[in-house]
Amino acid sequence: MRAGNIFVADLIEASLLHQVARIRISIYGSLALTGEGHMTPSALLLGLEGADVETVDTTYVPTRFAEIKKTKKLRIGSSSSSQEIDFDYPRDFVWEWTRKLPLHSNGMRLAVFDRNGDPIATNDLFSIGGGFVVNGGMEVRPAGPQVQNPYYKETRRSEDSPTLLTDDLVVETVSDTNSSNMVSETAGKSEYKDSMKSRDEARQVPYHFHNASSLLALCKQHNLTIAQLMYENEKGLGYSDDEIFNKLFALWDVMDNSIREGVQAPLNSILPGSLQLRRRAPALYQRLTRGLYPEQPGAGSFGSLQAQQVSTILSMPSDGKDVSQQANNLLAKRMSAQRRPRHWTPHLQGSPQHPVSLVPVRSTTFPAMDHLTVYAIAVNETNAAGGRVVTAPTNGAAGIIPAVLKYLAEFVSDDPERDVPIFLLTAAAIASLYKRGATQSAAEGGCMAEVGVACSMAAGAYAACMGAGPETIEQAAEIGIEHNLGLTCDPIGGLVQAPCIERNALGAIKAISSANLALNSVAGTQKVRLDDAIRAMRLTAKGMQEEFKETSLSGLAKSVPISIPVSVPDC
């Protein structure tokens, strides 16, 4: 959607929009192989029509997409400046499944033509993770290249317009605007690197860091936490205290709402796509919490229910027994019965007369794990249904940061308003290290670039909110990525559903485990540092076969049978 915004903004700036009569869109590589499952066409077309990722009504997107295909009309531009053109979706939206543009596997080529069919302008744009877009440079026919600003998140392409560091939790400062080293080493990137260098020089942030070691050195030299250092860099870009905090809490609101939307979805509803995957977050949430969001239909407040039952029990005669113990035992028994589904019946398979005994059906409750699981699943089901999420660091891994932060705010923190900014700023600092030193794109590095990076971000951020110093935060982040190295990206049917949704739940659990390991270790004594792990991640990504990098051509995507070939867009 952002790429569509950028392309149209460049057309308007070049005074070419009024000449456009037709557009041809080609998507390549991983972007094509997972396009329909990732909802790429609808997002791109709505972006060309001026829809904004942060404000668009998410229910409007599929409706408008269907209308475009039916009417064969597309309104390019915004409400203030637009041009309606003919658009035949099967003809004008081209899937280049077997081809890849040289810069990045998530590539798209947009070309516009006049009424005579002559080319007006063309541009290659690339989605490299974190909501960031690399602009290959619009070529205007016949005058030659016009646009040279190759890297930005904002729609306008002004060189001196800074991007708020916490946008989608991916920091764009001198410490990371070179994007990933993997991208910068791609053929034809010398001009891109030179352009990035000039942008770096134009930025006036007080604390320049390029890896974890330099980040820790700056924290020690200036007696700052990682979150404080990131905050000062934000201010160095000209943002006020209110602007920074408002943006941070706006991000948290979107995260919290994505959890809320996921758990309040209709029970047993089906996610869109060929897998017909059933939502699990609503039922899991009801069984687990009885409603942290009290307005949820059909779910009461666990706290009020507990208070009523305890009050009833305490009013009963004690018969000389410990009343509080009696209350706890009866309450646990009642809550256990309420969690049991009405259709539940014990069923044991096997011979009761066999020397190896049967075990009754049971489950173990781990409160932290259960809450993290339902929060992460809720966010990723919201994403799979086309809802709004925060790209942190990618949409496919968007459930880990919110799940860990939600658990921290609800069950651990004594001051969420203090901890939310600390968490997000620390996570953003860690994200910038991966963005510069490796990659955040599954098309480049497999799922370790998504879930692995998100796990690392969440582990370090959680440790920061537990009072850890910079070295312990670094250790937590290192543990988080070290045990995700080599994780492949193999979405079944090209859909961000299986195994992506469960993988986020496991990533959230692993993040807190990583933080706890670091918090219970001696800071600075680990043998593997975060910079080492990031280098290892980069080498692993370079050696990984292409079919394991978000192409749906191997792994689970190939071994699990589905109704249509994975290389054909989901209908």
Side-chain angles (χ1 to χ4, degrees):
M1 190 172 288
R2 191 168 272 134
N5 294 160
I6 292 167
F7 183 73
V8 170
D10 287 344
L11 286 175
I12 293 173
E13 187 164 330
S15 300
L16 296 172
L17 184 64
H18 67 283
Q19 300 180 30
V20 176
R22 180 190 165 198
I23 187 169
R24 185 175 189 269
I25 303 166
S26 304
I27 59 175
Y28 295 78
S30 293
L31 197 66
L33 288 164
T34 61
E36 280 286 351
H38 284 46
M39 303 182 186
T40 300
S42 58
L44 185 50
L45 293 178
L46 268 290
L48 290 169
E49 290 200 332
D52 178 72
V53 292
E54 295 187 14
T55 59
V56 65
D57 180 356
T58 57
T59 61
Y60 169 73
V61 175
T63 302
R64 177 56 187 157
F65 181 46
E67 185 179 346
I68 291 171
K69 291 193 290 185
K70 181 179 179 180
T71 63
K72 298 185 178 182
K73 295 290 183 180
L74 183 68
R75 293 190 302 267
I76 295 182
S78 61
S79 56
S80 59
S81 179
S82 63
Q83 175 89 349
E84 185 175 77
I85 63 172
D86 294 331
F87 183 79
D88 187 342
Y89 181 73
R91 179 196 67 186
D92 297 328
F93 201 101
V94 182
W95 303 83
E96 299 284 3
W97 293 302
T98 61
R99 299 175 62 196
K100 186 171 74 171
L101 296 176
L103 179 64
H104 195 279
S105 187
N106 281 340
M108 65 198 87
R109 176 169 290 164
L110 283 70
V112 288
F113 306 85
D114 63 18
R115 291 171 180 79
N116 297 321
D118 295 325
I120 299 173
T122 185
N123 198 0
D124 294 347
L125 298 107
F126 304 87
S127 171
I128 63 167
F132 284 87
V133 174
V134 170
N135 181 352
M138 177 175 285
E139 183 177 339
V140 178
R141 307 292 177 85
Q146 296 288 316
V147 178
Q148 293 296 326
N149 178 26
Y151 190 121
Y152 47 89
K153 277 184 78 168
E154 64 272 16
T155 300
R156 305 306 300 169
R157 56 183 180 83
S158 171
E159 286 286 346
D160 58 356
S161 60
T163 297
L164 192 65
L165 303 185
T166 47
D167 273 356
D168 290 349
L169 292 188
V170 180
V171 189
E172 187 176 5
T173 69
V174 66
S175 65
D176 67 0
T177 43
N178 284 342
S179 183
S180 67
N181 286 345
M182 292 182 63
V183 171
S184 64
E185 289 181 357
T186 308
K189 287 300 294 168
S190 59
E191 293 182 3
Y192 166 69
K193 293 171 69 177
D194 291 342
S195 177
M196 289 303 92
K197 182 178 179 181
S198 65
R199 291 196 70 185
D200 287 351
E201 292 171 351
R203 296 182 181 274
Q204 300 298 321
V205 294
Y207 304 111
H208 296 215
F209 61 93
H210 60 278
N211 58 18
S213 297
S214 60
L215 173 60
L216 296 184
L218 285 170
C219 291
K220 184 175 182 180
Q221 178 184 352
H222 299 282
N223 191 30
L224 294 171
T225 67
I226 292 176
Q228 289 171 343
L229 184 144
M230 292 297 293
Y231 186 87
E232 293 304 316
N233 277 352
E234 293 277 358
K235 296 194 71 172
L237 292 175
Y239 296 103
S240 67
D241 293 333
D242 286 344
E243 287 175 322
I244 296 170
F245 280 109
N246 287 342
K247 180 64 176 180
L248 288 167
F249 281 102
L251 287 168
W252 168 232
D253 284 343
V254 175
M255 291 180 180
D256 196 28
N257 286 333
S258 65
I259 297 174
R260 184 190 302 265
E261 183 177 337
V263 300
Q264 292 185 348
L267 289 173
N268 298 320
S269 54
I270 303 297
L271 292 171
S274 58
L275 290 181
Q276 293 293 287
L277 198 67
R278 192 178 302 275
R279 286 181 182 259
R280 286 182 289 176
L284 288 171
Y285 174 74
Q286 284 193 9
R287 291 173 59 187
L288 176 64
T289 66
R290 290 294 182 265
L292 283 178
Y293 301 115
E295 69 271 24
Q296 181 183 2
S301 168
F302 175 83
S304 61
L305 174 64
Q306 187 182 49
Q308 292 170 10
Q309 292 184 336
V310 171
S311 175
T312 302
I313 295 168
L314 291 179
S315 66
M316 297 168 60
S318 66
D319 297 328
K321 298 179 181 179
D322 186 305
V323 176
S324 61
Q325 185 61 42
Q326 183 182 3
N328 288 334
N329 292 341
L330 186 53
L331 177 60
K333 184 177 180 180
R334 289 184 179 179
M335 292 306 298
S336 177
Q338 289 167 356
R339 290 194 190 100
R340 183 176 300 167
R342 292 180 179 179
H343 63 271
W344 182 89
T345 54
H347 173 71
L348 300 178
Q349 179 175 338
S351 172
Q353 286 79 36
H354 197 278
V356 178
S357 301
L358 299 179
V359 178
V361 178
R362 56 189 176 176
S363 64
T364 304
T365 299
F366 297 103
M369 185 181 299
D370 293 340
H371 283 93
L372 284 167
T373 296
V374 74
Y375 295 155
I377 288 175
V379 175
N380 283 84
E381 287 180 348
T382 298
N383 177 59
R388 180 175 286 108
V389 298
V390 176
T391 306
T394 64
N395 278 17
I400 295 173
I401 296 286
V404 175
L405 182 49
K406 180 69 172 177
Y407 176 77
L408 174 78
E410 292 286 354
F411 300 102
V412 179
S413 176
D414 59 349
D415 188 353
E417 289 196 6
R418 174 200 65 202
D419 289 341
V420 167
I422 293 173
F423 189 101
L424 297 181
L425 287 166
T426 305
I430 296 168
S432 73
L433 301 176
Y434 288 97
K435 188 178 167 198
R436 182 181 181 92
T439 181
Q440 294 170 329
S441 169
E444 284 189 306
C447 199
M448 69 174 172
E450 297 201 23
V451 165
V453 171
C455 178
S456 180
M457 293 164 62
Y462 182 85
C465 293
M466 298 300 288
E471 287 190 337
T472 301
I473 293 170
E474 181 226 11
Q475 185 175 359
E478 186 280 323
I479 296 171
I481 187 60
E482 181 180 351
H483 303 288
N484 281 293
L485 292 177
L487 185 62
T488 61
C489 184
D490 46 2
I492 301 171
L495 299 163
V496 195
Q497 296 179 12
C500 315
I501 295 174
E502 289 181 351
R503 194 168 282 177
N504 275 255
L506 273 293
I509 294 167
K510 191 179 291 187
I512 289 188
S513 296
S514 300
N516 285 336
L517 276 173
L519 288 164
N520 291 305
S521 303
V522 178
T525 60
Q526 73 271 27
K527 296 300 182 183
V528 181
R529 307 306 295 254
L530 181 55
D531 288 332
D532 301 327
I534 292 175
R535 281 192 294 270
M537 175 187 168
R538 178 170 168 262
L539 292 173
T540 303
K542 290 178 72 174
M544 188 180 292
Q545 295 181 21
E546 289 298 319
E547 55 263 37
F548 292 108
K549 298 181 181 181
E550 202 182 25
T551 59
S552 292
L553 295 177
S554 192
L556 286 174
K558 187 173 182 180
S559 64
V560 176
I562 58 173
S563 58
I564 58 174
V566 296
S567 60
V568 178
D570 181 37
C571 300

